[in-house]
Amino acid sequence: MISVHDTGQADAFGELSGFRRRFYDECLTRRGDALFELTDAVLCTAGPVTSLAELSLTAEHRRGHGAGYDAINHGRIEIDRLRTALAELPLPRAADGRIALAVDISPWLRPDAACSPERLFCHVHGRSRSGSQFIPGWPYSFVAALETGRTSWTAILDAVRLGPADDATAVTAAQLREVVGRIIDAGHWQPGDPHILIVADAGYDVTRLAFVLADLPVELVGRIRSDRVMLRPAPPRPPGTIGRPHKHGGVFTLADQNSWHAPDHTTDTDTTRYGHAQARAWDRLHPRLTHRGPWLDHEGELPLVEGTVIRLQVEHLPGDRDPTPVWLWSSVTGASAELVDLLWQAFLRRFDLEHTFRLLKQTLGWTRPKLRAPDSADRWTWLILVAHTQLRLARPITEDLRRPWEKPVTEPRRLTPARVRRGFRNIRAKAGHPAAAPKPSRPGPGRPPGSPNTHRATRHDVGKTIKRNLTLQQHQNRTG
């Protein structure tokens, strides 16, 4: 007789084995054996990944170090099939059962790679106010499903590299539309379920995203700057008034408390990490839109995108730092007090994605290889995402191989990704490795000694290749 616990582990083991087989059979169409073993080497090597060549020393990588570079540079991964496979896996959900997605950009910095094309200036935050800087690199936009509660786990569903000719808002909107569509096609969302929640940070135009994605069953919440100015709805038109009706109401300045009116909801919550948290929400506030930036090509009158403004004030931050209020804007109107609490708590869960980025870079070695071509960087990025997905699937069946100085973990869901990775080699032995053994070969002769390389690599400029369009007023002034 099989217990409930054994049945759950068998299901998780079958999910992991099925994903590995599907990844090999359907997604790897060129250099598949080398790419698959390279992913296993990332999961089974001891300690952080330092280079592609070092991965060839692991027992799971049965090929030479040149095979890894050849697979990354000349292999092929069917990205659309892989995205579908990721969307069909079980997804974590928020406290009320809805799906919460976080979108954020993380850069692969390449400051010294003058021969690598399609690099952009990536904004890197520093610890001091003047420590932020722009460094050349490849920015990637990630979409991940969030769990409930404090955790370092996320379920990455998609990654898109931003190119020199791309508009970040347009690319993000298209990326979210495709991810939500795949989630619906996989049956994770049904009509009548709560809307999918999308969480973004201050770098996104959340108002524009809410307008573009209005036809989807999604609700957006994102941080806004504390110096923003919002507008109230237009007051009712008195009878007998002539002239054009007002489009906007009074001004709501976030930095000026005298311009605030009484909040529609005020909630108080005691948290273990931030102490007492108070959230005040004002319904039906909208920004003043102008024909510039993402709204330049908008035809007709600019819309009114109303939502809820939330001011979150906590008692203290980790490290006894003085907290400043956090301002959020949500596309939800008429939100209840319970939904207001859910929105700001979901925004705090967005920071779990930062733990995922740190794991990808510092442990799995996402940004370690010195690759020249951006296509090669895309293949390596997807291999890292596949490795992270396998860690997530192996989480319920991993035995905790803790160090003597580490505290024991009684629940598998409390294991961190790094501790799951320690035991993945034992799981891999039972999950199957469909990659074929390498054929005997002999390395090529290479360039003859003493013959210089006469083909100098092309240098590429950094930054956008397409200038931003003029605003509508400037365009009219120049053409009129």
Side-chain angles (χ1 to χ4, degrees):
M1 182 176 180
I2 301 178
S3 64
V4 177
H5 179 71
D6 294 337
T7 303
Q9 286 198 341
D11 294 341
F13 189 83
E15 198 76 48
L16 174 62
S17 301
F19 177 76
R20 288 171 59 86
R21 170 60 68 176
R22 185 174 181 180
F23 172 61
Y24 178 79
D25 292 340
E26 300 180 8
C27 304
L28 302 179
T29 56
R30 184 191 297 166
R31 308 290 199 279
D33 296 327
L35 290 173
F36 191 88
E37 289 192 353
L38 196 61
T39 308
D40 278 357
V42 172
L43 290 168
C44 298
T45 187
V49 175
T50 57
S51 68
L52 284 179
E54 292 289 339
L55 291 177
S56 63
L57 302 179
T58 61
E60 289 74 16
H61 194 280
R62 297 173 292 179
R63 291 160 170 80
H65 63 276
Y69 283 98
D70 180 69
I72 293 298
N73 292 324
H74 304 289
R76 179 182 297 170
I77 303 176
E78 298 296 334
I79 304 300
D80 292 337
R81 297 178 184 176
L82 182 54
R83 286 168 171 157
T84 302
L86 292 176
E88 293 179 355
L89 294 174
L91 295 181
R93 295 178 179 268
D96 64 340
R98 73 171 69 202
I99 299 175
L101 303 178
V103 56
D104 202 356
I105 294 179
S106 184
W108 182 341
L109 301 180
R110 298 302 312 277
D112 301 325
C115 300
S116 295
E118 302 184 13
R119 291 182 303 158
L120 298 176
F121 287 105
C122 304
H123 185 214
V124 179
H125 294 276
R127 290 186 176 272
S128 61
R129 178 167 297 182
S130 60
S132 299
Q133 53 186 326
F134 290 89
I135 300 178
W138 290 313
Y140 281 83
S141 175
F142 292 88
V143 177
L146 303 176
E147 294 189 3
T148 181
R150 292 176 56 186
T151 178
S152 56
W153 288 96
T154 60
I156 302 180
L157 302 178
D158 193 24
V160 174
R161 178 173 51 83
L162 302 178
D166 292 335
D167 180 80
T169 302
V171 171
T172 303
Q175 182 184 20
L176 289 173
R177 180 175 294 276
E178 293 177 359
V179 170
V180 172
R182 289 192 292 268
I183 289 176
I184 296 176
D185 294 339
H188 295 303
W189 186 89
Q190 301 290 340
D193 293 345
H195 283 188
I196 299 174
L197 188 61
I198 299 177
V199 186
D201 205 1
Y204 290 90
D205 190 346
V206 64
T207 306
R208 176 67 179 179
L209 292 177
F211 175 78
V212 176
L213 304 177
D215 59 321
L216 298 178
V218 298
E219 297 172 353
L220 285 90
V221 58
R223 186 168 56 148
I224 57 178
R225 294 176 49 174
S226 59
D227 58 353
R228 290 287 300 271
V229 176
M230 310 298 286
L231 299 173
R232 299 182 179 88
R237 186 182 177 92
T241 304
I242 61 176
R244 184 177 181 180
H246 292 285
K247 185 177 180 180
H248 309 289
V251 175
F252 186 94
T253 305
L254 273 58
D256 184 10
Q257 188 172 357
N258 296 326
S259 65
W260 306 349
H261 58 276
D264 296 279
H265 297 289
T266 300
T267 63
D268 295 277
T269 307
D270 291 326
T271 65
T272 58
R273 186 174 179 81
Y274 304 102
H276 181 76
Q278 183 184 76
R280 288 189 279 180
W282 292 267
D283 193 19
R284 297 189 62 193
L285 296 180
H286 64 274
R288 185 189 298 272
L289 305 179
T290 57
H291 281 283
R292 61 193 309 175
W295 300 97
L296 178 63
D297 299 328
H298 183 81
E299 298 181 358
E301 187 177 3
L302 291 173
L304 290 178
V305 186
E306 293 184 335
T308 301
V309 172
I310 303 174
R311 182 183 185 271
L312 176 63
Q313 179 68 61
V314 298
E315 185 178 358
H316 59 79
L317 295 176
D320 293 332
R321 293 177 294 165
D322 293 332
T324 57
V326 175
W327 290 92
L328 307 175
W329 185 89
S330 173
S331 61
V332 180
T333 57
S336 62
E338 292 77 12
L339 183 56
V340 169
D341 282 339
L342 176 65
L343 291 175
W344 69 260
Q345 292 172 9
F347 173 78
L348 295 183
R349 293 272 62 79
R350 188 205 67 83
F351 292 96
D352 297 339
L353 196 56
E354 303 296 336
H355 297 287
T356 300
F357 292 154
R358 185 169 62 250
L359 175 78
L360 299 184
K361 294 181 179 181
Q362 297 182 2
T363 303
L364 301 185
W366 171 39
T367 58
R368 286 292 184 176
K370 305 301 181 182
L371 303 176
R372 174 180 297 181
D375 293 340
S376 301
D378 294 344
R379 295 188 195 96
W380 176 248
T381 299
W382 278 103
L383 290 186
I384 296 299
L385 299 190
V386 169
H388 182 267
T389 301
Q390 294 187 55
L391 291 178
R392 180 170 62 89
L393 296 178
R395 180 182 175 189
I397 55 178
T398 301
E399 183 180 357
D400 184 21
L401 304 179
R402 68 183 182 91
R403 302 289 189 259
W405 55 85
E406 293 177 340
K407 296 181 180 180
V409 177
T410 57
E411 299 181 13
R413 67 178 303 271
R414 303 301 302 176
L415 286 175
T416 62
R419 291 173 77 160
V420 172
R421 182 169 173 260
R422 293 177 193 167
F424 191 85
R425 175 171 287 173
N426 300 332
I427 298 176
R428 175 188 176 273
K430 302 178 182 179
H433 34 89
K439 299 178 181 179
S441 62
R442 179 179 299 175
R447 183 184 300 127
S451 61
N453 183 13
T454 58
H455 300 283
R456 182 178 175 84
T458 305
R459 264 56 175 174
H460 299 273
D461 295 332
V462 183
K464 292 287 187 179
T465 58
I466 298 179
K467 295 183 179 180
R468 296 189 62 180
N469 294 328
L470 302 174
T471 63
L472 183 62
Q473 184 64 34
Q474 290 175 326
H475 180 73
Q476 292 175 351
N477 293 339
R478 291 193 177 187
T479 58

